[in-house]
């Protein structure tokens, strides 16, 4: 039995850090786990200019504890009105990607895209400049069942987008279905997907076990077991099209334990422990390094990290609650035992 695993230092290709005091509470967690993270732009108001992205990066860097190296990679928030000229400025400022949220699909997506055709000039500029398009792939059509929104997005929007921009690199973020895993597996080398730890570990029963459990509620929502198994197969397949993105999405506990609870699971504190558990359960610990440390930078055209991270198989109790600015944050699995732990 493997009880220790050393891999090249990993990166998180999908992370929410928020801002202000809340951000300062969570940045150290990611910096302890990952060398780099692709930071999502869904602040209030969203990060829509190169200058805002650069200023946000500086605020994140100021929250990195001394002695840790952590590089935030920045993204812009796509709106119907993001001017194509901003793409060149974004590239100059070191922004690597632009995020497409269908308006109304998820947390802080009100300013998102109402009709993808309105963004075509900007997508053309991105294709020319080599910026990646990151997609929250769910339709917002209220007639579509919440569990089908990802699969329908692929047919209605992703397939046409892929056809119209063959050279644009697209990451389908936080995939949750067999349909998405198959689509990405069969797509060409310009298409990839991130997979979260919670979608590898849980199916939708987790939201309803013994009562409603808001800390398991995220978007896209957890799906049935067949989909979880398809995601595990994709993540552990060794395919370079799948890589690590936690979608760690902190919200104050009071706003999740609420009549209108926020979507998002907080996993950054124990991200690699959770992924190790998922890969271990699948008997695929040997595939974790490619997924966590190689496929992401290779797809983004960035160098792989140097340095290593070591995980040990050792049971420990995760605290139930953490400080989050002035509020409290309940990490996924808080108050429960984890099987893996980062080596000191
Ligand atoms: N995943 C989530 O449930 N929530 C994310 C937004 C997102 O990634 O869709 C958030 O910002 O809270
Ligand atoms: Zn999303
Ligand atoms: Zn997200």
């Amino acid at each position: 039995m493997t009880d220790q695993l050393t891999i090249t230092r990993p990166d998180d290709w999908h992370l929410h850090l928020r801002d202000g005091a809340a951000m300062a509470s969570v940045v150290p967690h990611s910096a302890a786990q990952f060398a780099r993270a692709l930071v999502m732009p869904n602040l209030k108001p969203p990060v829509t200019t190169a200058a805002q992205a650069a200023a946000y990066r500086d605020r994140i860097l100021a929250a990195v504890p001394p002695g840790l190296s952590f590089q935030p990679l920045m993204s812009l928030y796509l709106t119907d009105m993001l001017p194509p000229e901003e793409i060149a400025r974004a590239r100059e400022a070191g922004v690597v990607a632009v995020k497409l949220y269908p308006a109304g699909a998820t947390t802080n997506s009100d300013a998102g895209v109402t009709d993808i055709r309105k963004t075509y000039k900007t997508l053309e500029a991105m294709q020319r400049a080599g910026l990646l398009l990151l997609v929250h792939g769910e339709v917002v059509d209220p007639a579509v069942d919440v569990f089908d929104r990802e699969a329908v997005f692929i047919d209605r929007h992703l397939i046409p987008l892929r056809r119209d921009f063959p050279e644009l690199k697209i990451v389908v973020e936080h995939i949750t279905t067999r349909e998405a895993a198959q689509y990405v597996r069969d797509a060409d080398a310009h298409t990839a997907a991130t997979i979260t730890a919670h979608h590898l570990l849980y199916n939708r029963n987790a939201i309803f076990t013994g009562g409603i459990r808001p800390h398991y509620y995220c978007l896209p929502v957890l799906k049935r077991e067949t989909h979880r198994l398809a995601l595990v197969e994709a993540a552990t397949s060794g395919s370079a099209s799948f890589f690590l993105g936690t979608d760690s999405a902190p919200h104050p506990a009071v706003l999740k334990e609420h009549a209108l609870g926020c979507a998002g699971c907080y996993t950054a504190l124990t991200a690699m422990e959770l992924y190790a558990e998922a890969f271990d359960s699948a008997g695929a610990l040997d595939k974790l390094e490619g997924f966590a440390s190689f496929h992401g930078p290779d797809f983004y055209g960035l160098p792989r990290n140097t340095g290593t991270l070591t995980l040990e198989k050792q049971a420990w109790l995760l605290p139930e609650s953490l400080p989050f600015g002035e509020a409290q944050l309940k990490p996924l699995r808080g108050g429960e035992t984890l099987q893996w732990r980062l080596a000191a």
Side-chain angles (χ1 to χ4, degrees):
M1 197 181 76
T2 316
D3 53 12
Q4 205 184 57
L5 179 70
T6 297
I7 61 169
T8 301
R9 215 168 154 215
D11 301 307
D12 183 352
W13 297 96
H14 184 132
L15 177 64
H16 300 272
L17 289 173
R18 315 308 187 201
D19 210 343
M23 174 187 75
S25 303
V26 295
V27 165
H29 303 164
S30 289
Q33 299 250 338
F34 297 106
R36 295 171 288 198
L38 196 294
V39 181
M40 291 294 138
N42 62 332
L43 303 181
K44 285 187 258 186
V47 178
T48 53
T49 68
Q52 287 168 348
Y56 185 30
R57 176 172 48 210
D58 290 345
R59 295 196 298 279
I60 297 165
L61 285 172
V64 177
L68 288 181
S69 74
F70 178 67
Q71 188 188 4
L73 300 167
M74 308 311 289
S75 60
L76 286 195
Y77 185 112
L78 188 62
T79 69
D80 290 352
M81 288 141 10
L82 183 71
E85 304 77 54
E86 197 61 25
I87 297 305
R89 286 193 283 272
R91 206 189 123 135
E92 288 271 289
V95 170
V96 296
V98 177
K99 180 69 187 273
L100 162 60
Y101 294 100
T106 187
T107 306
N108 299 345
S109 63
D110 300 351
V113 171
T114 63
D115 174 358
I116 296 177
R117 296 213 65 94
K118 292 185 176 164
T119 69
Y120 266 34
K121 289 249 162 2
T122 303
L123 297 180
E124 274 162 28
M126 287 166 54
Q127 183 168 250
R128 273 197 307 276
L131 256 65
L132 282 78
L133 178 69
L134 316 180
V135 179
H136 179 109
E138 286 193 289
V139 292
V140 292
D141 181 348
V144 177
D145 189 278
V146 68
F147 291 99
D148 297 333
R149 288 182 185 174
E150 183 173 278
V152 173
F153 182 90
I154 294 171
D155 292 336
R156 283 194 197 165
H157 301 298
L158 193 54
I159 291 171
L161 196 60
R162 203 44 307 174
R163 184 194 57 222
D164 293 346
F165 297 95
E167 303 290 314
L168 182 65
K169 282 192 182 172
I170 299 179
V171 184
V172 192
E173 297 294 334
H174 49 41
I175 61 167
T176 62
T177 57
R178 184 188 331 120
E179 288 86 347
Q182 284 173 356
Y183 174 80
V184 171
R185 182 195 65 196
D186 297 340
D188 72 14
H190 291 88
T191 310
T194 54
I195 306 180
T196 76
H198 44 289
H199 288 97
L200 292 175
L201 288 169
Y202 298 106
N203 64 39
R204 63 194 192 181
N205 287 355
I207 312 168
F208 306 106
T209 303
I212 190 153
R213 294 178 179 257
H215 297 287
Y216 288 86
Y217 173 58
C218 65
L219 287 170
V221 70
L222 293 169
K223 304 294 192 298
R224 356 172 125 252
E225 179 65 3
T226 48
H227 296 290
R228 188 191 71 84
L229 290 171
L231 299 177
V232 170
E233 191 189 316
T236 61
S237 66
S239 161
S241 303
F242 300 100
F243 46 86
L244 186 157
T246 60
D247 192 21
S248 178
H251 292 275
V254 286
L255 296 184
K256 288 193 64 67
E257 299 162 3
H258 189 276
L260 198 63
C262 295
C265 298
Y266 188 66
T267 55
L269 178 69
T270 56
M272 288 308 298
E273 290 90 330
L274 294 171
Y275 280 108
E277 188 175 311
F279 277 65
D280 193 10
S281 304
L285 278 174
D286 60 318
K287 296 294 196 305
L288 183 59
E289 185 176 41
F291 178 80
S293 313
F294 297 159
H295 304 163
D298 294 355
F299 189 77
Y300 272 78
L302 294 168
R304 294 176 179 182
N305 295 318
T306 54
T308 59
L309 181 89
T310 299
L311 288 145
E312 289 166 351
K313 196 162 189 180
Q314 186 198 25
W316 64 290
L317 185 69
L318 178 62
E320 203 168 330
S321 187
L322 310 162
F324 186 50
E326 303 282 283
Q328 291 295 306
L329 178 60
K330 301 242 178 111
L332 195 81
R333 284 278 279 280
E336 295 176 36
T337 300
L338 295 190
Q339 297 166 21
W340 287 83
R341 171 161 226 174
L342 288 198

